[in-house]
mmCIF file of all heavy atoms in Angstrom:
data_model
loop_
_atom_site.group_PDB
_atom_site.id
_atom_site.type_symbol
_atom_site.label_atom_id
_atom_site.label_comp_id
_atom_site.label_asym_id
_atom_site.label_seq_id
_atom_site.Cartn_x
_atom_site.Cartn_y
_atom_site.Cartn_z
ATOM 1 N N SER A 227 5.498 -24.193 11.204
ATOM 2 C CA SER A 227 4.084 -24.171 10.978
ATOM 3 C C SER A 227 3.549 -22.716 10.949
ATOM 4 O O SER A 227 4.141 -21.822 11.545
ATOM 5 C CB SER A 227 3.368 -24.900 12.106
ATOM 6 O OG SER A 227 3.761 -26.253 12.203
ATOM 7 N N PRO A 228 2.539 -22.509 10.210
ATOM 8 C CA PRO A 228 1.925 -21.122 10.170
ATOM 9 C C PRO A 228 1.599 -20.580 11.541
ATOM 10 O O PRO A 228 1.177 -21.448 12.376
ATOM 11 C CB PRO A 228 0.757 -21.261 9.212
ATOM 12 C CG PRO A 228 1.015 -22.484 8.442
ATOM 13 C CD PRO A 228 1.781 -23.418 9.353
ATOM 14 N N ASP A 229 1.690 -19.340 11.694
ATOM 15 C CA ASP A 229 1.377 -18.716 13.074
ATOM 16 C C ASP A 229 -0.007 -18.019 12.895
ATOM 17 O O ASP A 229 -0.107 -16.992 12.254
ATOM 18 C CB ASP A 229 2.423 -17.689 13.454
ATOM 19 C CG ASP A 229 2.191 -17.088 14.802
ATOM 20 O OD1 ASP A 229 1.054 -17.329 15.352
ATOM 21 O OD2 ASP A 229 3.088 -16.351 15.332
ATOM 22 N N PHE A 230 -0.994 -18.626 13.483
ATOM 23 C CA PHE A 230 -2.403 -18.108 13.367
ATOM 24 C C PHE A 230 -2.806 -17.298 14.574
ATOM 25 O O PHE A 230 -4.018 -17.141 14.881
ATOM 26 C CB PHE A 230 -3.407 -19.262 13.106
ATOM 27 C CG PHE A 230 -3.191 -20.052 11.848
ATOM 28 C CD1 PHE A 230 -2.612 -21.270 11.870
ATOM 29 C CD2 PHE A 230 -3.606 -19.443 10.639
ATOM 30 C CE1 PHE A 230 -2.420 -21.973 10.671
ATOM 31 C CE2 PHE A 230 -3.421 -20.134 9.463
ATOM 32 C CZ PHE A 230 -2.845 -21.406 9.482
ATOM 33 N N SER A 231 -1.789 -16.820 15.390
ATOM 34 C CA SER A 231 -2.146 -16.177 16.617
ATOM 35 C C SER A 231 -2.877 -14.825 16.466
ATOM 36 O O SER A 231 -3.480 -14.359 17.440
ATOM 37 C CB SER A 231 -0.821 -15.930 17.391
ATOM 38 O OG SER A 231 0.054 -15.066 16.689
ATOM 39 N N LEU A 232 -2.863 -14.287 15.318
ATOM 40 C CA LEU A 232 -3.615 -13.005 15.069
ATOM 41 C C LEU A 232 -5.002 -13.220 14.485
ATOM 42 O O LEU A 232 -5.829 -12.312 14.397
ATOM 43 C CB LEU A 232 -2.861 -12.099 14.094
ATOM 44 C CG LEU A 232 -1.695 -11.383 14.691
ATOM 45 C CD1 LEU A 232 -0.911 -10.644 13.591
ATOM 46 C CD2 LEU A 232 -2.050 -10.410 15.783
ATOM 47 N N LEU A 233 -5.344 -14.536 14.181
ATOM 48 C CA LEU A 233 -6.656 -14.830 13.641
ATOM 49 C C LEU A 233 -7.724 -14.521 14.711
ATOM 50 O O LEU A 233 -7.683 -14.961 15.864
ATOM 51 C CB LEU A 233 -6.691 -16.304 13.234
ATOM 52 C CG LEU A 233 -7.904 -16.795 12.481
ATOM 53 C CD1 LEU A 233 -8.102 -16.047 11.166
ATOM 54 C CD2 LEU A 233 -7.891 -18.324 12.291
ATOM 55 N N PHE A 234 -8.740 -13.788 14.306
ATOM 56 C CA PHE A 234 -9.850 -13.350 15.183
ATOM 57 C C PHE A 234 -9.428 -12.599 16.420
ATOM 58 O O PHE A 234 -10.106 -12.657 17.433
ATOM 59 C CB PHE A 234 -10.672 -14.584 15.625
ATOM 60 C CG PHE A 234 -11.304 -15.325 14.343
ATOM 61 C CD1 PHE A 234 -10.951 -16.637 14.095
ATOM 62 C CD2 PHE A 234 -12.301 -14.678 13.653
ATOM 63 C CE1 PHE A 234 -11.583 -17.260 13.022
ATOM 64 C CE2 PHE A 234 -12.870 -15.376 12.533
ATOM 65 C CZ PHE A 234 -12.554 -16.595 12.211
ATOM 66 N N GLN A 235 -8.329 -11.908 16.357
ATOM 67 C CA GLN A 235 -7.839 -11.135 17.468
ATOM 68 C C GLN A 235 -8.378 -9.764 17.454
ATOM 69 O O GLN A 235 -8.148 -8.902 18.300
ATOM 70 C CB GLN A 235 -6.311 -11.041 17.469
ATOM 71 C CG GLN A 235 -5.629 -12.404 17.862
ATOM 72 C CD GLN A 235 -6.080 -12.819 19.283
ATOM 73 O OE1 GLN A 235 -5.872 -12.094 20.212
ATOM 74 N NE2 GLN A 235 -6.604 -13.999 19.340
ATOM 75 N N LEU A 236 -9.202 -9.420 16.485
ATOM 76 C CA LEU A 236 -9.775 -8.046 16.338
ATOM 77 C C LEU A 236 -10.752 -7.797 17.506
ATOM 78 O O LEU A 236 -11.471 -8.738 17.959
ATOM 79 C CB LEU A 236 -10.513 -7.935 15.023
ATOM 80 C CG LEU A 236 -11.769 -8.757 14.711
ATOM 81 C CD1 LEU A 236 -12.399 -8.296 13.426
ATOM 82 C CD2 LEU A 236 -11.498 -10.232 14.554
ATOM 83 N N ASP A 237 -10.754 -6.594 17.962
ATOM 84 C CA ASP A 237 -11.670 -6.121 19.028
ATOM 85 C C ASP A 237 -12.865 -5.494 18.472
ATOM 86 O O ASP A 237 -12.856 -4.251 18.225
ATOM 87 C CB ASP A 237 -10.889 -5.193 19.990
ATOM 88 C CG ASP A 237 -11.652 -4.904 21.299
ATOM 89 O OD1 ASP A 237 -12.845 -4.986 21.254
ATOM 90 O OD2 ASP A 237 -11.015 -4.545 22.288
ATOM 91 N N LEU A 238 -13.924 -6.206 18.292
ATOM 92 C CA LEU A 238 -15.135 -5.701 17.610
ATOM 93 C C LEU A 238 -15.939 -4.730 18.457
ATOM 94 O O LEU A 238 -16.551 -3.846 17.998
ATOM 95 C CB LEU A 238 -16.037 -6.879 17.099
ATOM 96 C CG LEU A 238 -15.447 -7.815 16.058
ATOM 97 C CD1 LEU A 238 -16.399 -8.937 15.762
ATOM 98 C CD2 LEU A 238 -15.242 -6.959 14.782
ATOM 99 N N VAL A 239 -15.929 -5.038 19.762
ATOM 100 C CA VAL A 239 -16.760 -4.217 20.723
ATOM 101 C C VAL A 239 -16.070 -2.797 20.910
ATOM 102 O O VAL A 239 -16.717 -1.768 20.674
ATOM 103 C CB VAL A 239 -16.920 -4.921 22.031
ATOM 104 C CG1 VAL A 239 -17.699 -4.061 22.948
ATOM 105 C CG2 VAL A 239 -17.688 -6.256 21.792
ATOM 106 N N ASN A 240 -14.812 -2.857 21.373
ATOM 107 C CA ASN A 240 -14.212 -1.571 21.695
ATOM 108 C C ASN A 240 -13.961 -0.644 20.471
ATOM 109 O O ASN A 240 -13.872 0.528 20.574
ATOM 110 C CB ASN A 240 -12.838 -1.801 22.485
ATOM 111 C CG ASN A 240 -13.094 -2.282 23.877
ATOM 112 O OD1 ASN A 240 -13.952 -1.822 24.579
ATOM 113 N ND2 ASN A 240 -12.274 -3.289 24.311
ATOM 114 N N SER A 241 -13.862 -1.340 19.307
ATOM 115 C CA SER A 241 -13.614 -0.489 18.119
ATOM 116 C C SER A 241 -14.893 0.185 17.634
ATOM 117 O O SER A 241 -14.905 1.025 16.763
ATOM 118 C CB SER A 241 -13.096 -1.436 16.985
ATOM 119 O OG SER A 241 -14.007 -2.459 16.717
ATOM 120 N N LEU A 242 -16.081 -0.178 18.289
ATOM 121 C CA LEU A 242 -17.308 0.481 17.942
ATOM 122 C C LEU A 242 -17.728 1.540 18.947
ATOM 123 O O LEU A 242 -18.835 2.071 18.894
ATOM 124 C CB LEU A 242 -18.438 -0.596 17.857
ATOM 125 C CG LEU A 242 -18.676 -1.242 16.455
ATOM 126 C CD1 LEU A 242 -19.801 -2.236 16.551
ATOM 127 C CD2 LEU A 242 -18.865 -0.193 15.332
#
Side-chain angles (χ1 to χ4, degrees):
S227 300
D229 184 348
F230 296 104
S231 61
L232 285 174
L233 187 64
F234 298 116
Q235 288 300 302
L236 66 172
D237 190 334
L238 293 176
V239 177
N240 288 319
S241 59
L242 272 182

